[in-house]
């Protein structure tokens, strides 16, 4: 099941290998216009068959003159579809339309001063004549195609932007999608609204209304099952399906005992109260602890957690199917919280019930095959949160930071035991509470708290010598988790977290800060 814009005409973002292709799509959506990412290998006829409201050509690492570099089929410009080129896409567009792209010898990377050409311009109207933009190019357009007005320049790009509004065509050498381009979003919106004629109608309310209709059409009068993990993706997906088909949905929550403090209660109490969903809770905490006993290798722990989850969920699913069968009903569908980045990174493929491993379930037996219901597969994480708020989910669930499928099992370096889990929960709860009190919990992507259970650190507490465990704080900032940087938290906040943890959590006498970016480090330690 897929999602489309209210008028069923997407803006297509053609990915030329840019690190920012998905970001462009997000910025289009922030302008309340629906967008999709498509590969540059997609034939133009196939693109146009989607009846796009506009096409945006992304940046990319190639030179337009390099052997094998992706090119733009001139046929794209023959059908009257508005097109906007960015960086490499701008150069490829210029070359396809008869302009000149040259090695100017003046490469530009990073912040660059852009000069808007005097006179009327659609892309830059109402914006400063001089503005800071983000550049990343070696080649540059030295001559615009015939019929295009040059509307901006920089020291290294004689044609930094051009436009032919009457033909629905425009482009810029810089990256308007990144925050470093001061007025980039305005430039993008000028193209969308004033050149392409798009209307800002793709709202959260429309998304919910549209998905409810699609879900009802797909499921009909059949029963559907959903595995709740406690995370925002599965919660919002389940809430959407519940809104659409009510008691035809049964949610299964496997309490493996590896969640943080209060998260199991959020599912069992707050989520049920907000949605009225039919919830089946499986208390499997002892089973998971037994499976993890003696394991210290991270991969071994992950496999053990995944294996047990499959077995527990399988048994619960069989019970739901049997109950439905006793009432003459069939369970044919499984809800999955697939997001748009998952779709793009997997090539946009679809399939039968191959439940994603990072949702903790995989490899269900053949006799438990379901058709997938994926109401979030067209959405980015920030859009999912907005839909959750629209559906009335509690803020504690909607704004929950990303959390690994194996939970605290991979935030304990060493064997996982009940005592160590309780120790880590208390330390983690303190860190989250202080970040929230300081108003910082939404400024960071996530803040894993890691227990070095196999390490002993000497300390002094109560006038005595101690040998406690160190705890690591790992606050990171990111947009997509592909790359991340450590968050520069205020020293007073860090000090308060450290003081509370060492005072309030037994057997912890040292708190350290991880200041490693990704790469080279990962966000999680295991």
């Amino acid at each position: 099941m897929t999602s489309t814009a209210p008028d069923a005409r997407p803006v297509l973002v053609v990915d030329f290998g840019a690190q920012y292709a998905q970001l462009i799509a997000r910025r289009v959506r922030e302008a309340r216009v629906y967008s999709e990412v498509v590969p540059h290998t997609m034939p133009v006829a196939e693109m146009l068959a989607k009846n796009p409201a506009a096409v945006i050509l992304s940046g990319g690492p190639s030179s337009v003159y390099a052997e094998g570099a992706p090119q733009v089929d001139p046929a794209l410009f023959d059908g009257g579809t508005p097109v906007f080129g960015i960086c490499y896409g701008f150069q490829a567009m210029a070359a396809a339309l008869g302009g000149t792209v040259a090695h100017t010898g003046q490469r530009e990377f990073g912040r660059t001063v852009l000069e808007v050409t005097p006179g009327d311009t659609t892309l830059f109207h109402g914006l400063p004549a001089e503005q800071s933009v983000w550049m990343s190019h070696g080649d540059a357009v030295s001559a615009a195609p015939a019929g295009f007005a040059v509307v901006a320049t920089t020291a290294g790009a004689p044609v930094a932007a051009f436009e032919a509004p009457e033909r629905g065509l425009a482009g810029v050498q810089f990256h308007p999608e990144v925050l470093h381009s001061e007025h980039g979003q305005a430039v993008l919106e000028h193209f969308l609204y004033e050149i392409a004629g798009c209307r800002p109608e793709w709202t959260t309310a429309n998304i919910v209304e549209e998905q409810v209709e699609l879900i009802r059409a797909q499921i009909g009068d059949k029963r559907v099952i959903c595995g709740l993990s406690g995370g925002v993706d599965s919660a919002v997906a389940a809430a959407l399906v519940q809104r659409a088909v009510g008691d035809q949905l049964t949610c299964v929550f496997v309490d493996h005992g590896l969640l943080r403090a209060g998260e199991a209660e959020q599912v069992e109490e707050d989520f049920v109260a907000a949605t009225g969903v039919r919830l089946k809770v499986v208390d499997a905490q002892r089973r998971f602890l037994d499976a993890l006993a003696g394991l210290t290798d991270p991969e071994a722990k992950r496999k053990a957690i995944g294996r047990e989850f499959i077995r527990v969920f399988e048994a619960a699913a069989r019970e739901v199917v049997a109950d439905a069968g006793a009432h003459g009903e069939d369970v044919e569908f499984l809800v999955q919280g697939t997001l748009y980045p998952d779709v793009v990174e997997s090539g946009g493929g679809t399939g039968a019930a191959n439940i994603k491993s990072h949702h903790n379930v995989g490899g269900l037996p053949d006799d438990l095959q379901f058709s997938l219901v994926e109401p979030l597969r067209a959405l980015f994480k920030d859009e999912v949160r907005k839909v959750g708020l629209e559906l009335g989910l509690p803020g504690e669930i909607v704004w929950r930071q990303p959390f690994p499928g194996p939970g605290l099992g991979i935030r304990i370096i060493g064997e996982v035991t009940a005592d160590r889990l309780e120790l880590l929960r208390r330390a983690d709860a303190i860190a989250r509470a202080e970040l929230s009190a300081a108003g910082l919990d939404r400024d960071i992507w996530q803040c894993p708290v890691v227990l070095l259970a196999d390490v002993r650190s000497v300390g002094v507490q109560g006038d005595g010598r101690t040998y406690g465990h160190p705890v690591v704080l790992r606050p990171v900032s990111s947009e997509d988790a592909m790359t991340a940087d450590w968050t520069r938290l205020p020293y007073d906040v860090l000090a308060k977290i450290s003081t509370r943890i060492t005072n309030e959590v037994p057997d912890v006498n040292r708190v350290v800060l991880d200041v490693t970016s990704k790469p080279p480090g990962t966000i999680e330690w295991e």
Side-chain angles (χ1 to χ4, degrees), residues 275-296:
T275 62
V277 75
R278 177 187 296 173
L279 180 66
K280 180 180 181 65
V281 178
V282 182
D283 185 351
Q285 297 183 55
R286 173 47 56 188
R287 178 170 181 165
F288 277 82
L289 280 175
D290 289 345
L292 289 167
L295 300 182
T296 59

Side-chain angles (χ1 to χ4, degrees), residues 304-453:
I305 294 169
R307 181 181 63 248
E308 292 307 311
F309 198 102
I310 291 170
R311 291 172 177 172
V312 174
F313 186 87
E314 173 189 334
R318 289 188 189 282
E319 292 178 7
V320 173
V321 170
D323 178 70
H327 293 84
E329 300 171 321
D330 295 323
V331 182
E332 293 189 5
F333 298 95
L334 175 73
V335 180
Q336 182 165 297
T338 308
L339 302 191
Y340 193 55
D342 304 321
V343 176
V344 173
E345 290 163 10
S346 65
T350 58
N354 178 20
I355 310 171
K356 294 186 298 180
S357 61
H358 68 267
H359 281 173
N360 297 324
V361 187
L364 289 178
D366 292 339
D367 60 348
L368 274 179
Q369 282 288 313
F370 301 103
S371 296
L372 294 183
V373 179
E374 299 178 301
L376 309 181
R377 65 179 283 115
L379 304 182
F380 289 100
K381 177 74 82 172
D382 54 335
E383 295 167 335
V384 171
R385 296 189 195 280
K386 292 176 183 176
V387 168
L389 294 174
E390 180 75 20
L391 292 167
L393 293 184
E396 293 79 10
I397 292 178
V398 171
W399 295 108
R400 182 181 187 258
Q401 293 179 356
F403 191 60
L408 298 180
I410 59 167
R411 289 184 178 175
I412 294 176
I413 309 302
E415 183 183 4
V416 179
T417 67
D419 289 342
R420 289 175 173 182
L421 282 168
E422 182 57 27
L423 188 155
L424 180 53
R425 279 196 192 93
R426 294 177 66 175
D428 177 89
I430 289 171
R432 287 191 290 147
E434 291 303 329
L435 289 173
S436 180
L440 297 170
D441 48 352
R442 296 187 191 177
D443 292 339
I444 61 176
W445 175 261
Q446 62 184 118
C447 183
V449 178
V450 181
L451 174 66
L452 304 186

